[in-house]
Amino acid sequence: MTKFFTRMALIAGLGLAAGHAHAFEINFTFDGLKLCTSGNPNTVKSPAFAVRNVPAGTKYIRFKLVDRDVPNYNHGGGVVAYNGGKVIAPGQFKYKSPCPPNGKHTYEWRATAQKSKSGGKLATTARARQYP
């Protein structure tokens, strides 16, 4: 797991040394997720998220998983307190895992930086990956 966090920290730190202002970004991996292709998702713990350029004043980050191939299916997500740092630790909330019944789907984690748990949007971002 240490190797994983090291990799996430490196991903999160890319571009910070340049000192340029950039848009809010997240990154994640499906590494370690139990294979699911039945169309019946498992309830699982959230992955680690690398974050960078989180807007000043952010106290919470809201995450939501969307299947771009079936956008009406609610995979859920969660709201995580943000106290700075480059990595949101895994297991902060539970959601319904990716589980496409017919080949690969593209899944997108959407993140909203917020002033409070219930809102006050500061910025949004998204990152997508195919699964499996």
Side-chain angles (χ1 to χ4, degrees):
M1 195 59 129
T2 302
K3 187 176 184 180
F4 174 76
F5 281 114
T6 301
R7 186 172 72 202
M8 292 301 280
L10 287 172
I11 290 169
L14 294 176
L16 293 179
H20 301 292
H22 296 282
F24 175 38
E25 294 181 40
I26 61 168
N27 207 343
F28 71 96
T29 176
F30 287 127
D31 291 355
L33 189 61
K34 181 180 176 183
L35 182 64
C36 185
T37 57
S38 66
N40 296 310
N42 300 302
T43 298
V44 296
K45 293 180 180 180
S46 60
F49 293 95
V51 295
R52 70 176 186 176
N53 304 316
V54 178
T58 299
K59 299 293 182 199
Y60 293 89
I61 301 176
R62 179 177 301 278
F63 293 94
K64 179 171 178 54
L65 183 66
V66 175
D67 180 345
R68 287 187 183 171
D69 298 289
V70 187
N72 292 331
Y73 185 83
N74 184 8
H75 281 274
V79 179
V80 176
Y82 180 72
N83 297 315
K86 297 177 182 178
V87 176
I88 305 295
Q92 299 297 305
F93 57 88
K94 292 183 178 180
Y95 72 102
K96 293 178 185 174
S97 71
C99 194
N102 52 2
K104 291 184 178 190
H105 282 200
T106 300
Y107 290 88
E108 179 178 83
W109 275 108
R110 296 177 181 170
T112 304
Q114 301 180 171
K115 293 180 185 179
S116 70
K117 191 171 186 174
S118 60
K121 178 172 74 171
L122 296 168
T124 60
T125 190
R127 175 70 72 158
R129 301 224 181 284
Q130 285 193 328
Y131 181 89

